[in-house]
Amino acid sequence: MARKAVLHNETSEALSEVGRRYAVAVTEDVYATINPLDPLDPVARQYMPSAEELKTTPRELEDPIGDDAHSPIKGIVHRYPDRLLLKPAHVCAVYCRFCFRREMVGPKQENGGKSEALDAAELEAALDYIRAAPKVWEVIVTGGDPFVLSPRRVKCLMEALNAIDHVKVIRFHTRVPVADPSRVTDELTDALESDKAVYVVLHCNHANELTDKVRAAAQKFLRKGIPLLSQSVLLKGVNDDAKALENLFRKLVEFRIKPYYLHHPDMARGTSHFRLPVSKGRALMKKLLGRLSGIAQPRYMLDIPGGFGKVPLEDGYCNDGVVTDWQGETHVYQDE
Ligand SMILES: *Cc1c(COP(=O)(O)O)cnc(C)c1O
Ligand code: SF4
């Protein structure tokens, strides 16, 4: 019933086509936060497939942030000298309709040429790459979602990373605490124990996603001494007004989660209905200034299409559609 109501405007043929192109999954916990009578529900919009995804625009890319160009070996993206991404899993608990890796994540990719999952030998090879890269101070474990892995596999991964002297910080990027909080078990948080600094960055875009159950899951990490940060994506129709952002960031801080980044949406294919102009995002951030505690303010970031890294969308880095990357190179960025 609820599912039908949320999808009321869509034809089934269009949705089947979306399902053939992109992975679709929603958990019961996420369903419970959706108001089926509200056609504009901000949680439903993030997860429920829509015929609008069949539309692609000329500037949209299969690999919107240019990860492939910086992947020296399967499962690693090494763009900055001191840190890299390690992607042991390619599946998620839920599939976000705006995902920048939407062409690489999901169960369907398993048998296709683009499979992102690492088998044991590939994971070992990725770890060897890190072992041989002494400048790598931080390993960012992402995916897919690394907390879809069993606690046993997370533990094996932690043991390998714990044994690499030059790695001082291990950071996990995940949507599991929000999308599937029951997966945050004692076994999982035990597996994260380390003498190194371990951080968890959770992905959340609307205050309605932050239920008591999510709060309880988040506290489990904190009790282990693991600080929590958040990343959000600025999305048209989900959180693109000052009040929605204020409510989200306040609630995160109340949950003891520090808002870290607010990402401008990426040029992923079939996501134009979520994008908004950078000027609008900058105006929203200005509205929050002063009215919202400094500890509740994330940095508004753009991942420059083509693999040039992230840039804060602030004066000094972003002027009249030209952004300056961390190496001082300038790039034209056009909204669409
Ligand atoms: C986003 C990203 C990081 C992390 O960037 P921070 O600004 O440190 O959060 C690291 N490596 C790659 C390849 C990335 O895309
Ligand atoms: S959980 Fe992350 S990787 Fe998975 S679909 Fe959502 S945004 Fe993409």
Side-chain angles (χ1 to χ4, degrees):
M1 278 295 283
R3 289 161 215 218
K4 278 214 179 86
V6 172
L7 291 169
H8 68 304
N9 270 334
E10 312 284 7
T11 68
S12 59
E13 303 91 276
L15 289 178
S16 312
E17 178 56 25
V18 172
R20 276 192 291 275
R21 287 195 203 176
Y22 306 111
V24 178
V26 188
T27 58
E28 288 304 323
D29 286 290
V30 167
Y31 264 123
T33 66
I34 293 175
N35 174 1
L37 301 176
D38 179 3
L40 303 176
D41 186 274
V43 178
R45 188 165 161 81
Q46 295 182 57
Y47 299 106
M48 304 310 284
S50 144
E52 291 173 291
E53 295 173 47
L54 299 177
K55 185 178 138 212
T56 54
T57 68
R59 255 188 284 281
E60 288 179 345
L61 301 164
E62 178 178 355
D63 177 22
I65 65 169
D67 279 350
D68 285 351
H70 294 273
S71 181
I73 185 168
K74 191 170 171 189
I76 298 271
V77 184
H78 195 179
R79 197 183 334 261
Y80 303 107
D82 75 331
R83 59 206 189 280
L84 52 68
L85 308 184
L86 170 62
K87 302 191 287 180
H90 72 306
V91 289
C92 305
V94 287
Y95 291 99
C96 313
R97 307 325 303 160
F98 50 84
C99 175
F100 66 117
R101 293 206 184 106
R102 60 192 328 223
E103 316 227 17
M104 292 79 159
V105 296
K108 270 190 309 210
Q109 309 303 344
E110 235 147 62
N111 306 314
K114 283 186 280 185
S115 171
E116 287 270 300
L118 298 187
D119 63 28
E122 288 166 338
L123 179 59
E124 203 45 40
L127 290 165
D128 276 343
Y129 178 87
I130 300 172
R131 291 181 185 112
K135 290 204 181 77
V136 173
W137 171 83
E138 178 181 27
V139 172
I140 301 163
V141 188
T142 176
D145 197 313
F147 290 159
V148 165
L149 297 175
S150 68
R152 186 186 58 79
R153 289 181 67 195
V154 172
K155 191 165 184 209
C156 287
L157 180 62
M158 285 298 294
E159 277 167 5
L161 294 173
N162 283 336
I164 305 174
D165 271 348
H166 57 267
V167 172
K168 307 292 185 195
V169 181
I170 304 168
R171 183 195 330 171
F172 287 85
H173 280 202
T174 178
R175 206 157 179 27
V176 156
V178 170
D180 201 0
S182 330
R183 279 185 192 263
V184 183
T185 56
D186 291 342
E187 290 71 33
L188 177 65
T189 55
D190 285 349
L192 296 174
E193 253 172 57
S194 176
D195 289 335
K196 301 186 191 289
V198 179
Y199 282 75
V200 168
V201 182
L202 55 83
H203 172 183
C204 181
N205 305 317
H206 196 277
N208 290 4
E209 295 178 273
L210 293 169
T211 60
D212 288 345
K213 212 168 156 185
V214 172
R215 182 185 191 122
Q219 304 317 299
K220 289 192 156 194
F221 294 104
L222 295 169
R223 275 203 298 275
K224 286 280 177 190
I226 298 171
L228 294 173
L229 305 172
S230 70
Q231 52 178 344
S232 307
V233 187
L234 180 60
L235 297 166
K236 190 155 94 186
V238 173
N239 58 16
D240 61 335
D241 69 81
K243 196 69 206 162
L245 290 176
E246 180 179 335
N247 291 344
L248 169 64
F249 299 144
R250 279 196 198 284
K251 200 149 183 190
L252 285 165
V253 171
E254 289 164 19
F255 279 23
R256 304 194 182 107
I257 302 164
K258 164 76 186 101
Y260 174 53
Y261 281 167
L262 174 66
H263 296 279
H264 190 71
D266 291 308
M267 288 284 177
R269 286 206 283 231
T271 63
S272 58
H273 51 299
F274 285 114
R275 281 199 303 276
L276 66 181
V278 165
S279 57
K280 171 139 196 216
R282 284 169 51 120
L284 285 169
M285 290 304 288
K286 269 194 192 130
K287 270 196 193 164
L288 296 184
L289 207 65
R291 153 171 159 178
L292 180 62
S293 164
I295 60 170
Q297 309 228 13
R299 222 162 181 202
Y300 178 36
M301 302 295 285
L302 172 72
D303 223 310
I304 305 170
F308 302 100
K310 295 182 184 67
V311 60
L313 289 168
E314 297 162 2
D315 293 340
Y317 299 98
C318 167
N319 299 293
D320 297 327
V322 176
V323 291
T324 306
D325 71 24
W326 65 284
Q327 304 196 85
E329 299 292 323
T330 55
H331 309 270
V332 173
Y333 181 80
Q334 280 177 283
D335 287 318
E336 208 169 351

